[in-house]
Amino acid sequence: MTAAHLRMAWLALGLSVAGAASASPAAQPVPPAALGFTPEHAAAEQRIEDRFKGIPSSAEERVVLRYLTAEPHPAGSARNHELAEYVADTWRRQGLENVEIRRYNVLNSSPRSISLEMLRPVRYVASLHEAAYDADPDTKNPHVRGGWVSMSASGDVTAPIVYAHGGNPEDYDVLQRNGIDVRGKIVLVRYSNPYSYRGFKALTAERRGAAGLIIYSDPAEDGYRPEYAFPNGPRGPETHIQRGSITYDFMVPGDPLTPGWASVDGARRLSPQQAQSLPKIMATVISWHDARPLLEHMGGPAAPADWQGGLPITYRLGGEAVVHFKADMDTSVQPIYVVEARIVGAELPDEWIVLGNHRDAWEYGAVDPSSGTAALLGVSHALGELLRSGVRPRRTLILCSWDAEEVALTGSTEWGEQFADDLRHKLVAYLNVDEGVSGPRFEVSAVPSLAPLLVEVSRTLDDPSGRTLYEAWREGARLTRAANHIHVPVNDANLVETRIPGSSDDTVFLSFLVRPTMTAGFVGDDYYPGIYHSVYDDFYWMEHFGDPSFRYHLLMSQFWGVTALRLANADVLPLDFELYGRNIQTFVDELAKRTPPGGHLDLASLRQAAVEFERAGARLKRTVRAALAGRGLDARLSQRINAGLLAVEGNWAIPAGIPQRPWYKHMIYAKRFNYDPLQLPGITEAAEAADWDTAEQQATALRQALRKSAALLRGLADDIGRATAAG
Ligand SMILES: [Zn+2]
């Protein structure tokens, strides 16, 4: 499809919506669709949104981003505390309410010193630092640290070095078949494409008995192009280092010493030895500049063809060369700071929409996460100004600036655990932005119930390319799928990615609290993985390559804010369970294909329950739409409908958690240890382990949840039907 075709598709949809609106009894110009609003309220909402969109500016977000990225600001640093005060002051000045800085005392990690040296057959001292450039003075700041990983153990090891490709279990099997024992050795692995979480590489190395883990970025997969390398181009140069954490947050995120409860003053704490998510292995990250001499001299048999990388050498399995690796880490309980502000809802103060973004960065973090913070402060600017002119949303908006996301999703997890009882009942949706802008291509992932709203919002916004955001988004999705050989045509029902792992601050809301979540951002081809988590993710990169005009920053604010306002002001919450039901059927079908149950598991009745749930969702949607287009719903009835809609999402909660991972309580969503999204996690993992009793228990729980939710949705539709008939 070409852009012209997309334009036509959009026009066709626009016409059909306009046709429906002119046939409605309220024969007045109303905004197209506006899910969940009466025509009158939709018109009012559009006036609010038009004002909202005009308040923030690219120029202001540029200034904010420069301030946020003036110094490195990792979790636990004085600068990140200073930025917490800055965000709080800004929110107070902008007119937000209940501005608070919440302190949590959490296990944090920073390097005292890291060293890596090859002793034999040649001596090479790894620099562990990234090159500085005159063109970008920020790269010369003495506060910038070298490569290290959060939550590495401390240690001092001299041992042979072995190359283990991507560091996944199957890679160690290859080594074993080649007679190479990694026990007591230092393992060199590379960041792989597709992505595999570095914490999983650490757990795998630990389980295999390695003494230390070194992770490097290979030019075969870090996007390196000499002619495009930083600072002349947008790609990472040969010394770039991808920092990161190795916390085992796939088992339980947040402070490893308080799994499942908040790290507030006086909280009970595990000892580090008891902490399941705390790695026991020492690890660090290096550039391919530093990895090359190690790879060149490690000896041993040649590595398999598919283990060869982008360096002009023969990659070998190693075992002959000896390295000295030392990591002296300060891993201790330290304060982190979550900033929180509200706009209390005028009519439904106990229904909350939370917008969040983390503040801590590996170094400057212009993309990750400061572009998101700049966009969030644009949203708050506009909300504060609307509030001053008397426009208060119906529901409560809460804005959060998280800390220590990069360590273990820590700040959001502790906050979510602290306020779990309220959030489970009051949270309508959590809207996350992490890497707000690294390029022009819009990407959104969300639970299916939110997807139609997000698509609808995109139709109302202008993309810097001159199209609507919706058109630009569809075209970007089409190109991405073509590049990845995914032969699924783009349509409105699959534009939002609904296979969501929860890998940012959305995790606690999705997996622990079991509430609807979304994560959105603008991405580009140059950022990941060569710039990501390196010193080069800085203001210079953003200003020259990422978003020189800062118009995508502004658009990020507009998308985020308009989505929040629609959720906050809707008569009936725009949550779509028809699409959710269809997605669950797809997940069941995929499971049946991947892990055929062979008569052990009744997936047919599970699928049927999802079909019934989809039908109930479709019927309620039709009923609500007709009621809203007609005489509307009285306050008591719409309150009952909204309470019911909120309850549906909570029905996916399995209170005991999925097997082996009690913190993860969502029946539909979790992530695998390597961070791949995992749908129907309890059933899938049990089926993969051929533990059919557990799989059946998990399937039964989901079947019951689907039936309960379908009955609830049918009941709501009946209520509306009765009220409409009576009125
Ligand atoms: Zn981030």
Side-chain angles (χ1 to χ4, degrees):
M1 238 190 327
T2 64
H5 282 103
L6 285 170
R7 175 84 193 142
M8 282 171 63
W10 181 79
L11 281 173
L13 284 164
L15 282 173
S16 72
V17 170
S22 63
S24 80
Q28 52 184 340
V30 296
L35 292 170
F37 290 86
T38 64
E40 190 191 335
H41 289 164
E45 171 68 13
Q46 189 173 16
R47 286 192 294 275
I48 293 171
E49 290 174 12
D50 285 346
R51 284 187 54 201
F52 175 91
K53 287 185 257 182
I55 296 170
S57 73
S58 297
E60 124 195 7
E61 298 199 14
R62 183 185 184 283
V63 170
V64 169
L65 190 78
R66 178 64 276 200
Y67 184 73
L68 293 169
T69 57
E71 287 289 329
H73 50 107
S77 66
R79 177 62 179 174
N80 207 38
H81 187 196
E82 224 168 87
L83 290 181
E85 302 282 358
Y86 163 77
V87 169
D89 289 346
T90 304
W91 281 346
R92 283 189 201 104
R93 193 162 35 76
Q94 289 171 335
L96 270 61
E97 300 162 338
N98 305 62
V99 179
E100 278 191 59
I101 298 182
R102 295 187 187 277
R103 193 190 74 223
Y104 298 97
N105 305 312
V106 303
L107 196 68
N108 199 0
S109 171
S110 59
R112 286 197 201 93
S113 77
I114 310 276
S115 64
L116 176 67
E117 185 181 358
M118 181 171 258
L119 303 176
R120 290 196 298 275
V122 297
R123 185 155 183 270
Y124 176 74
V125 180
S127 92
L128 305 179
H129 276 79
E130 295 159 305
Y133 300 97
D134 290 338
D136 178 6
D138 282 343
T139 58
K140 299 184 169 182
N141 186 329
H143 296 128
V144 171
R145 293 172 299 188
W148 64 289
V149 297
S150 186
M151 298 297 176
S152 161
S154 289
D156 186 338
V157 179
T158 299
I161 185 165
V162 169
Y163 170 53
H165 193 226
N168 295 311
E170 59 274 20
D171 297 321
Y172 288 89
D173 296 342
V174 170
L175 286 173
Q176 208 165 17
R177 283 200 295 277
N178 280 274
I180 293 183
D181 184 355
V182 300
R183 280 176 299 175
K185 296 186 182 146
I186 292 164
V187 176
L188 178 67
V189 306
R190 67 201 227 197
Y191 278 114
S192 36
N193 196 6
Y195 185 79
S196 166
Y197 173 52
R198 68 186 84 69
F200 181 55
K201 297 177 196 287
L203 178 68
T204 308
E206 187 182 298
R207 284 178 170 169
R208 300 284 176 145
L213 174 71
I214 318 278
I215 309 173
Y216 82 100
S217 305
D218 194 281
E221 52 226 350
D222 77 346
Y224 180 69
R225 300 268 300 272
E227 67 280 24
Y228 292 134
F230 189 94
N232 302 316
R235 299 284 178 98
E238 73 173 82
T239 61
H240 84 85
I241 299 171
Q242 184 188 136
R243 296 160 184 76
S245 176
I246 55 167
T247 316
Y248 301 159
D249 65 5
F250 40 78
M251 292 178 177
V252 51
D255 180 355
L257 306 185
T258 63
W261 64 94
S263 298
V264 293
D265 288 339
R268 178 169 70 86
R269 259 169 232 288
L270 304 181
S271 72
Q273 291 71 32
Q274 294 170 304
Q276 193 191 21
S277 62
L278 189 60
K280 310 284 184 286
I281 192 167
M282 56 188 281
T284 197
V285 281
I286 62 174
S287 64
W288 59 260
H289 173 86
D290 272 338
R292 180 175 175 155
L294 309 181
L295 286 162
E296 243 169 345
H297 298 289
M298 66 167 57
D306 58 342
W307 285 31
Q308 301 299 317
L311 294 168
I313 57 170
T314 299
Y315 289 56
R316 298 187 169 277
L317 299 181
E320 293 170 9
V322 174
V323 298
H324 176 210
F325 173 28
K326 193 173 161 212
D328 180 10
M329 303 294 297
D330 173 14
T331 303
S332 55
V333 173
Q334 294 168 14
I336 60 162
Y337 302 93
V338 169
V339 193
E340 177 192 318
R342 305 181 175 224
I343 295 179
V344 178
E347 295 169 40
L348 301 162
D350 283 336
E351 292 182 15
W352 298 352
I353 293 98
V354 177
L355 293 76
N357 149 266
H358 72 93
R359 193 179 62 255
D360 62 303
W362 284 107
E363 296 296 343
Y364 298 106
V367 170
D368 181 6
S370 307
S371 58
T373 313
L376 185 61
L377 295 183
V379 171
S380 55
H381 174 197
L383 291 174
E385 207 141 291
L386 287 175
L387 191 60
R388 257 180 222 154
S389 69
V391 179
R392 182 181 285 278
R394 296 181 66 222
R395 299 183 175 84
T396 294
L397 296 174
I398 303 178
L399 279 67
C400 291
S401 168
W402 311 119
D403 201 348
E405 188 271 353
E406 298 290 7
V407 180
L409 316 175
T410 311
S412 55
T413 301
E414 300 310 315
W415 191 86
E417 289 171 345
Q418 183 177 6
F419 301 107
D421 290 343
D422 272 338
L423 288 162
R424 286 199 177 105
H425 296 108
K426 299 178 180 174
L427 184 61
V428 173
Y430 171 66
L431 309 177
N432 189 56
V433 173
D434 187 328
E435 293 152 20
V437 183
S438 66
R441 201 169 61 243
F442 194 47
E443 285 187 357
V444 185
S445 59
V447 292
S449 50
L450 284 172
L453 168 71
L454 305 173
V455 172
E456 189 188 63
V457 168
S458 75
R459 292 174 191 278
T460 71
L461 298 170
D462 297 322
D463 187 82
S465 63
R467 301 166 289 186
T468 63
L469 174 60
Y470 170 73
E471 293 169 293
W473 182 9
R474 280 190 67 134
E475 176 65 1
R478 190 187 68 76
L479 293 172
T480 305
R481 285 181 204 182
N484 291 296
H485 311 288
I486 297 167
H487 305 291
V488 180
V490 174
N491 61 45
D492 286 2
N494 66 27
L495 196 46
V496 172
E497 177 57 75
T498 55
R499 287 170 178 78
I500 44 174
S503 49
S504 175
D505 292 305
D506 55 334
T507 305
V508 70
F509 301 98
L510 178 73
S511 296
F512 185 71
L513 302 168
V514 193
R515 303 306 306 153
T517 62
M518 170 213 85
T519 292
F522 288 90
V523 304
D525 294 327
D526 296 319
Y527 175 71
Y528 185 82
I531 299 294
Y532 170 72
H533 288 186
S534 79
V535 69
Y536 309 114
D537 179 4
D538 69 357
F539 190 77
Y540 175 97
W541 188 88
M542 185 64 81
E543 206 184 23
H544 285 81
F545 312 115
D547 187 18
S549 68
F550 284 80
R551 287 163 74 185
Y552 288 97
H553 280 73
L554 174 60
L555 185 51
M556 189 67 250
S557 296
Q558 292 171 331
F559 178 82
W560 205 356
V562 169
T563 301
L565 283 170
R566 288 206 179 182
L567 285 164
N569 289 331
D571 295 285
V572 174
L573 289 168
L575 298 174
D576 189 317
F577 296 110
E578 181 186 14
L579 188 62
Y580 216 140
R582 220 181 306 149
N583 271 265
I584 294 170
Q585 288 160 52
T586 305
F587 300 157
V588 172
D589 292 344
E590 287 170 353
L591 172 64
K593 223 181 280 170
R594 231 183 17 249
T595 316
H600 292 288
L601 189 59
D602 184 8
L603 289 181
S605 76
L606 181 59
R607 192 181 195 286
Q608 186 51 37
V611 170
E612 281 159 31
F613 174 68
E614 178 196 349
R615 285 191 192 132
R619 186 176 145 225
L620 178 63
K621 201 163 76 176
R622 280 195 308 272
T623 315
V624 166
R625 200 176 282 163
L628 289 176
R631 265 172 306 182
L633 298 163
D634 72 54
R636 275 204 17 223
L637 183 54
S638 59
Q639 214 169 334
R640 197 152 82 233
I641 309 288
N642 286 326
L645 291 170
L646 286 180
V648 172
E649 201 80 30
N651 287 344
W652 309 137
I654 187 155
I658 60 176
Q660 325 296 332
R661 294 192 277 171
W663 190 90
Y664 284 87
K665 299 185 189 303
H666 205 301
M667 290 187 206
I668 314 220
Y669 290 115
K671 60 188 167 200
R672 290 187 187 270
F673 283 24
N674 67 0
Y675 266 37
D676 276 351
L678 173 62
Q679 288 73 244
L680 314 179
I683 311 172
T684 302
E685 288 186 332
E688 285 172 355
D691 176 357
W692 299 110
D693 288 346
T694 304
E696 185 56 49
Q697 284 161 17
Q698 295 288 311
T700 301
L702 179 54
R703 203 159 39 229
Q704 284 166 351
L706 283 162
R707 287 184 182 146
K708 184 175 171 191
S709 290
L712 176 60
L713 295 175
R714 281 193 294 266
L716 297 176
D718 290 343
D719 288 349
I720 299 174
R722 269 194 298 275
T724 317

